[in-house]
Amino acid sequence: MSMLTPQSSPYPRTFSHIGISVPDLEAAVKFYTQVLGWYLIMEPTEVIEDDSAIGEMCTDVFGAGWERFRIAHLSTGDRIGVELFEFKNQENPEDNFEYWKTGIFHFCVQDPNVEELAEKIVAAGGKKRMKAPRYYYPGEKPYRMIYMEDPFGNILEIYSHSYELHYSSGAYND
């Protein structure tokens, strides 16, 4: 049975959470709670490589020698979890927008006032990856989007409307 066969799953899975690496955990918590309005549900906490349940789980994931990291947990308005990680030897790439490489290169948030949120992100130390929001269907539908960066170089996109509305009209047109 192919992975794309509709019968393989009785319903689509829901999205639980995403993990984002940042160089400064407190600054990231402040940005994501104050600018995006996400809820802080677990204060910044240090996790140490040891024989505790969490220590062993992290060694399973990261391999031996990770030593320690700090983590905070947030939640979006629609209950999606966001784990913010600050690792001991955090590396900050010059440009975190290597979209041609396999992996997640951005996440998207939804706000009906794309322009206002974009300006709040810039005012908080982020930047625009595009000069201004673009329309998906100019003159036809009000669906807008813009690519941004948070103050830590993580790529985020802003949609004016839901994902389903943006794409329910079918393939891209001229």
Side-chain angles (χ1 to χ4, degrees), residues 110-128:
Q110 183 180 316
D111 190 301
N113 194 334
V114 173
E115 296 80 4
E116 183 179 303
L117 181 55
E119 292 309 320
K120 284 178 75 173
I121 291 169
V122 169
K127 72 179 192 181
K128 294 179 181 178

Side-chain angles (χ1 to χ4, degrees), residues 138-159:
E140 203 179 315
K141 295 185 177 168
Y143 309 158
R144 298 178 323 286
M145 59 75 65
I146 188 169
Y147 270 89
M148 305 289 296
E149 282 186 31
D150 72 9
F152 320 103
N154 293 301
I155 310 302
L156 67 133
E157 186 178 14
I158 307 168
Y159 268 17

Side-chain angles (χ1 to χ4, degrees), residues 22-23 65-69 86-92:
V22 296
W66 55 273
E67 294 183 31
R68 67 185 66 241
F69 66 85
E86 178 186 317
F87 289 98
K88 179 178 169 269
N89 296 315
Q90 191 81 34
E91 291 183 17
N92 301 309

Side-chain angles (χ1 to χ4, degrees), residues 82-115:
V82 179
E83 294 177 321
L84 297 176
F85 291 86
E86 178 186 317
F87 289 98
K88 179 178 169 269
N89 296 315
Q90 191 81 34
E91 291 183 17
N92 301 309
E94 191 66 35
D95 185 358
N96 206 20
F97 196 56
E98 294 179 330
Y99 57 88
W100 61 93
K101 292 185 178 180
T102 300
I104 297 169
F105 74 86
H106 78 278
F107 63 91
C108 184
V109 298
Q110 183 180 316
D111 190 301
N113 194 334
V114 173
E115 296 80 4

Side-chain angles (χ1 to χ4, degrees), residues 10-24:
Y11 57 89
R13 303 297 190 273
T14 56
F15 201 90
S16 172
H17 69 276
I18 187 169
I20 302 172
S21 291
V22 296
D24 182 332

